[in-house]
Amino acid sequence: MASIKQQLKQLLINKQYRQYERELAAQNETYDNWIRNQEKKLKITSPAAKTGIRQLTCEVFCQDMTFLSRHITHDILVLTLCEGTFNKIAMPLISKEFASSRDTVLVYGDEDTMSDTVRSNPWFKPDWSPDRFLSGFYFGAFVAVRTGALKNAYLVCQKNDMLKKALDELPNAEKLYLLLFEMLKMQNAFAKHRCGQNVPVCHIPQVLYHSKENGYEQLKDFRLPEFAVGEWEGQLGIADMLENTLLSVIIPSKDNPDVLFRCLDSLLEKTAPACDFEIILVDNGSNDANRERISQRAETLNRLAGESGGQGSAFQGCQYLYEPMPFNFSHMCNLGAAGARGQLLLFLNDDVEIIQADWMKLMAAKALLPYAGAVGAKLLYPGSDTIQHAGVTNIRLGPAHKLQFLSDKEVHYFGMNRGVHDMLAVTGACLMTRREVFEQSGGFYEGLAVAFNDIDLCYTIYEKGYYNIQRNDAVFFHHESLSRGFDGESEEKQRRHLREKDTLYKRHPDIYGQDPFYHPYLATDVLESEYFPVFHYYSSLDRILDMSCSPAKIASARAKLAREDKCLVLGMEIAMELYKWLYNTMPEKATAAEENDRISPEYFNYYFQGYAFVIGADNARYERKLLLKSRERRSVWALSVENQRRPDIKAHLKDQTNVELTGFTAKLHGRELPPGVYQLGMLAIDKCSRQRLVSWSSWTLEIADRQCGQ
């Protein structure tokens, strides 16, 4: 009998596994197929416009650039740096871009590799990023330039002995790199951006070129000559400004003297000062004993500064600002900035540890550039090579710390954890900016007391026309969240987190779901660390809109008796009305035009997304149900979910079994449940045994009381 039961159980297991494999295969899209479908939607069928365009390899162009000084018959030069072929959509799009704006002098696009007609390895690039250009040749396998602008740069180079010699002696790709740098300087590309206006450099967010081999790998080591960058910085007066600049290091801290002292010791002992600096400690109410300890340390630091002040010491002393008040990170930072004397401000968490001597020079040299906004550094978890912060991207789910928890030993997504990048935001744990930029942006918004205040500042700085800069060559340890724990560990914190995110996007509505430095073909609807292209995920806007609503059913007695177990991990990512998910506003606040274009009954349905897996089990065996527990009625409803492929979960859980389909989505009709507040949970049912597991999240959802017909 036992043997028969075991055979039956194995049949059930095999059945579940076959079903899992079928679902996974159905969602396993290839890049080649996906990108061709995307390009069909563009409906670009016109033949390539050849008139006025000349194509050359970089090698041929650099062998005789003197033709630029003679009569030129082609308005546009398209120069290739890697062997490959152009996509059929490339020339029409390039021609259209140059024709639409005389301000555009350079156009670049995205690329992939092609082997035997099969496309792979897409390199999706950001929009014009001046600091990434200065850090490496991220334009990639080709550039299209306006010939007249390139000619003017070439003629200027011929009048400068160092530039002329460099153009004669450098390898071909570096010759082009240097010439483009000179051209872009002349076109004022290294200046504040102009929102809504044409810029000299245009990125076409489509794959325009197929390299025979990986273009990034062929170009990743190209650098601008140091003398050229140094000459430019000299013209801007960066070195002179550093000599005459005071940097104010502002450190908010309360009741963490040991953590704070480690930060101070590392700052003073491990820094090679690039300019004079002072320290501002902002304390919102340490207890008497800790206040005394911090006060004594500040006095000691001031004696140190006084004793060495006449010997050329860069350290100019320490202020201790003590003001008991409820925690408000924004107010504390603003208080520190008000008491600071420096032209440069560095906001530094008390749990950051300095490990690199030249960080100050690297960050300050960028912060002093006239177009620079906030400058951030790469943060690692202490004593490791694990990334905590390498810049913030703005996905539809909100601000995201890409590359978090990944190893910095590896190079991620075409060098995103290397060099310098322009990004929409950097973390306030280590953020440097000029005082004038800080004041123009209104400082930290004090309506955001805990979360997103640093992101809000960066978004405002960007909206003022400045570029925020992530320096991944300046590295610190960050003993993250020693001060106040993690967001989302309780319902109260989760609700506050969501409220503050709503506040962020109410203040910056045009930024919701948008990021000029994050390609639209990269995933925006999942919380994953890597830069995964959209095709890795099955869920998409079209599929979400086409999804049927799942009927909500009162949970069965067996479901209610399921064992609550932490081995069932539930991660909620979205739980809100579909309209708000898509547009970050509610219909009653939409404009008349938006109402005509967007509002339909479908938008009043609720959308859910996340992941759930059972640790130490074969996840192919489990059926999952989303649970909604009513606060008012104590009733529990169960909702069927659709399994979603999540390669990010698989990548992070290499030791777990069949977790690639542990993502889920679901839709609920807007009027199916009674109005009220519901706690969200997950029921996992082992289809091959009687096991029932349940896990409750800190997420809650308020079902609105909508009138009939809405």
Side-chain angles (χ1 to χ4, degrees):
M1 181 63 70
S3 176
I4 293 176
K5 286 184 177 180
Q6 187 64 34
Q7 290 177 15
L8 290 174
K9 183 175 182 179
Q10 189 59 50
L11 288 173
L12 287 173
I13 292 173
N14 292 342
K15 179 182 178 181
Q16 288 301 119
Y17 185 72
R18 288 194 298 271
Q19 181 177 337
Y20 176 88
E21 288 292 298
R22 286 195 297 270
E23 283 191 61
L24 184 59
Q27 296 189 25
N28 195 7
E29 178 77 283
T30 66
Y31 166 70
D32 184 79
N33 184 63
W34 175 84
I35 192 63
R36 293 178 191 277
N37 286 333
Q38 296 301 311
E39 290 168 357
K40 287 178 183 177
K41 297 176 185 177
L42 299 176
K43 298 180 179 179
I44 300 174
T45 57
S46 59
K50 300 287 186 182
T51 305
I53 294 181
R54 183 181 181 185
Q55 295 184 37
L56 292 172
T57 66
C58 176
E59 183 177 0
V60 170
F61 169 76
C62 291
Q63 284 175 354
D64 182 17
M65 288 190 289
T66 60
F67 80 90
L68 288 171
S69 62
R70 303 190 294 270
H71 179 65
I72 299 173
T73 59
H74 297 85
D75 295 333
I76 308 300
L77 285 174
V78 177
L79 306 172
T80 57
L81 291 87
C82 303
E83 185 179 356
T85 58
F86 279 97
N87 192 335
K88 63 181 179 181
I89 68 173
M91 294 308 161
L93 289 176
I94 291 170
S95 299
K96 180 180 178 181
E97 180 55 42
F98 279 113
S100 65
S101 173
R102 294 298 305 176
D103 293 333
T104 299
V105 298
L106 186 148
V107 171
Y108 66 101
D110 307 312
E111 61 191 85
D112 56 22
T113 58
M114 181 183 288
S115 176
D116 296 328
T117 74
V118 176
R119 295 164 61 178
S120 63
N121 198 32
W123 181 6
F124 297 132
K125 303 166 189 174
D127 287 351
W128 167 234
S129 303
D131 296 280
R132 187 164 182 181
F133 175 83
L134 294 169
S135 180
F137 196 79
Y138 83 97
F139 290 158
F142 86 94
V143 288
V145 294
R146 203 176 289 279
T147 311
L150 196 63
K151 173 182 178 178
N152 292 337
Y154 174 76
L155 295 177
V156 167
C157 289
Q158 294 304 300
K159 298 176 182 178
N160 181 304
D161 291 340
M162 291 188 71
L163 291 173
K164 185 177 185 301
K165 182 179 180 182
L167 289 181
D168 290 338
E169 297 180 354
L170 283 172
N172 288 332
E174 282 90 336
K175 286 181 183 178
L176 177 60
Y177 198 171
L178 177 60
L179 187 57
L180 293 178
F181 177 47
E182 296 302 317
M183 180 188 77
L184 293 176
K185 284 193 299 178
M186 294 173 63
Q187 297 297 322
N188 206 28
F190 299 93
K192 292 170 64 177
H193 64 86
R194 298 163 285 176
C195 293
Q197 300 182 33
N198 294 320
V199 294
V201 183
C202 172
H203 167 229
I204 296 176
Q206 299 294 335
V207 175
L208 303 184
Y209 194 77
H210 314 304
S211 295
K212 186 175 181 180
E213 298 179 359
N214 188 306
Y216 170 76
E217 290 296 327
Q218 297 178 68
L219 303 171
K220 66 179 181 180
D221 295 327
F222 291 168
R223 297 290 183 271
L224 283 169
E226 289 186 10
F227 83 84
V229 178
E231 182 182 57
W232 174 62
E233 291 181 345
Q235 293 169 355
L236 296 174
I238 301 300
D240 292 337
M241 283 189 281
L242 274 174
E243 288 184 5
N244 298 287
T245 290
L246 176 66
L247 168 67
S248 296
V249 183
I250 299 166
I251 307 176
S253 185
K254 175 190 173 184
D255 282 326
N256 271 316
D258 293 331
V259 172
L260 172 63
F261 296 165
R262 178 184 57 212
C263 175
L264 293 174
D265 289 344
S266 69
L267 174 62
L268 293 168
E269 295 172 6
K270 297 181 181 179
T271 298
C275 59
D276 289 347
F277 69 99
E278 65 172 356
I279 297 173
I280 315 289
L281 304 179
V282 185
D283 189 333
N284 66 317
S286 291
N287 63 42
D288 290 344
N290 287 332
R291 179 185 181 186
E292 179 63 23
R293 289 183 65 191
I294 298 170
S295 180
Q296 289 180 359
R297 177 58 66 94
E299 291 176 4
T300 300
L301 292 178
N302 282 323
R303 284 197 299 272
L304 175 66
E307 291 169 359
S308 59
Q311 302 175 21
S313 172
F315 178 49
Q316 300 295 303
C318 175
Q319 295 184 56
Y320 180 36
L321 306 179
Y322 182 85
E323 183 177 316
M325 56 182 166
F327 179 80
N328 186 315
F329 181 83
S330 295
H331 181 67
M332 294 172 73
C333 289
N334 290 340
L335 187 64
R341 298 180 293 118
Q343 299 83 24
L344 282 178
L345 306 175
L346 172 66
F347 299 95
L348 191 69
N349 277 18
D350 62 0
D351 54 1
V352 169
E353 180 181 355
I354 309 300
I355 60 173
Q356 181 176 328
D358 63 348
W359 68 270
M360 188 182 291
K361 180 179 181 180
L362 292 173
M363 295 184 71
K366 281 294 183 186
L368 290 170
L369 292 172
Y371 64 80
V375 180
K378 180 162 61 182
L379 305 181
L380 303 179
Y381 287 99
S384 76
D385 61 19
T386 303
I387 298 169
Q388 187 268 321
H389 171 80
V392 176
T393 57
N394 188 56
I395 63 176
R396 190 180 292 275
L397 284 173
H401 288 261
K402 288 291 184 181
L403 306 183
Q404 188 174 20
F405 307 122
L406 302 182
S407 172
D408 196 41
K409 286 184 178 179
E410 302 176 23
V411 177
H412 298 283
Y413 200 72
F414 302 99
M416 286 304 299
N417 58 322
R418 299 286 186 264
V420 185
H421 301 264
D422 297 285
M423 303 193 79
L424 205 52
V426 299
T427 179
C430 182
L431 184 157
M432 185 185 291
T433 189
R434 299 196 305 283
R435 177 183 290 278
E436 63 182 281
V437 175
F438 183 77
E439 292 177 348
Q440 285 176 28
S441 304
F444 285 91
Y445 174 59
E446 297 188 7
L448 291 169
V450 181
F452 301 121
N453 32 55
D454 50 351
I455 308 302
D456 174 82
L457 175 63
C458 288
Y459 288 1
T460 302
I461 288 172
Y462 172 77
E463 290 166 341
K464 296 291 182 182
Y466 297 99
Y467 287 89
N468 297 316
I469 302 166
Q470 172 66 23
R471 288 216 75 141
N472 287 325
D473 52 356
V475 185
F476 299 76
F477 281 151
H478 185 205
H479 301 257
E480 184 187 29
S481 296
L482 287 176
S483 302
R484 58 178 183 83
F486 291 94
D487 286 323
E489 62 186 7
S490 68
E491 180 183 337
E492 178 186 355
K493 287 188 175 182
Q494 180 62 38
R495 291 172 73 94
R496 185 206 71 222
H497 186 83
L498 293 175
R499 285 196 306 270
E500 293 192 320
K501 188 170 77 170
D502 282 346
T503 299
L504 173 70
Y505 288 114
K506 286 177 183 176
R507 287 173 50 79
H508 308 281
D510 293 339
I511 287 180
Y512 180 70
Q514 305 294 319
D515 189 332
F517 310 110
Y518 187 78
H519 198 285
Y521 282 170
L522 293 172
T524 64
D525 298 344
V526 290
L527 288 174
E528 43 89 3
S529 296
E530 263 290 9
Y531 286 77
F532 278 132
V534 173
F535 77 90
H536 282 258
Y537 297 93
Y538 186 68
S539 182
S540 66
L541 177 58
D542 290 341
R543 290 192 178 102
I544 291 169
L545 293 175
D546 290 341
M547 280 175 61
S548 299
C549 288
S550 300
K553 299 180 180 179
I554 292 290
S556 66
R558 290 183 67 187
K560 292 179 181 178
L561 294 175
R563 184 176 85 249
E564 189 167 351
D565 197 319
K566 291 184 178 179
C567 72
L568 173 57
V569 177
L570 170 60
M572 292 299 306
E573 296 173 331
I574 307 166
M576 64 179 67
E577 279 187 295
L578 185 57
Y579 190 94
K580 185 175 182 181
W581 163 238
L582 296 176
Y583 305 115
N584 193 47
T585 186
M586 292 309 294
E588 55 268 22
K589 297 182 180 179
T591 65
E594 287 174 330
E595 290 175 359
N596 292 333
D597 292 341
R598 300 176 178 175
I599 297 179
S600 71
E602 165 68 13
Y603 292 134
F604 293 101
N605 296 328
Y606 292 86
Y607 177 62
F608 305 90
Q609 179 180 301
Y611 55 87
F613 52 84
V614 181
I615 298 174
D618 184 348
N619 282 269
R621 292 170 51 165
Y622 287 87
E623 177 187 3
R624 294 166 300 167
K625 300 279 187 181
L626 186 66
L627 301 179
L628 295 93
K629 183 193 296 183
S630 171
R631 287 286 171 82
E632 294 80 8
R633 299 167 181 80
R634 309 304 299 174
S635 302
V636 179
W637 278 265
L639 201 66
S640 295
V641 301
E642 292 189 11
N643 295 332
Q644 296 292 313
R645 179 173 178 251
R646 290 295 294 263
D648 57 319
I649 302 295
K650 180 182 179 182
H652 285 294
L653 299 176
K654 294 182 173 66
D655 59 341
Q656 299 298 311
T657 305
N658 292 327
V659 291
E660 193 167 0
L661 274 180
T662 54
F664 68 84
T665 57
K667 272 191 355 193
L668 172 71
H669 194 282
R671 297 188 304 274
E672 183 149 357
L673 292 186
V677 177
Y678 293 80
Q679 184 180 6
L680 302 179
M682 181 62 67
L683 172 68
I685 304 167
D686 188 339
K687 302 294 286 184
C688 304
S689 74
R690 296 182 179 181
Q691 185 188 61
R692 303 287 189 274
L693 303 175
V694 69
S695 177
W696 293 100
S697 80
S698 60
W699 281 56
T700 59
L701 172 70
E702 184 172 359
I703 300 291
D705 185 7
R706 295 223 173 264
Q707 299 297 317
C708 216
Q710 287 188 312

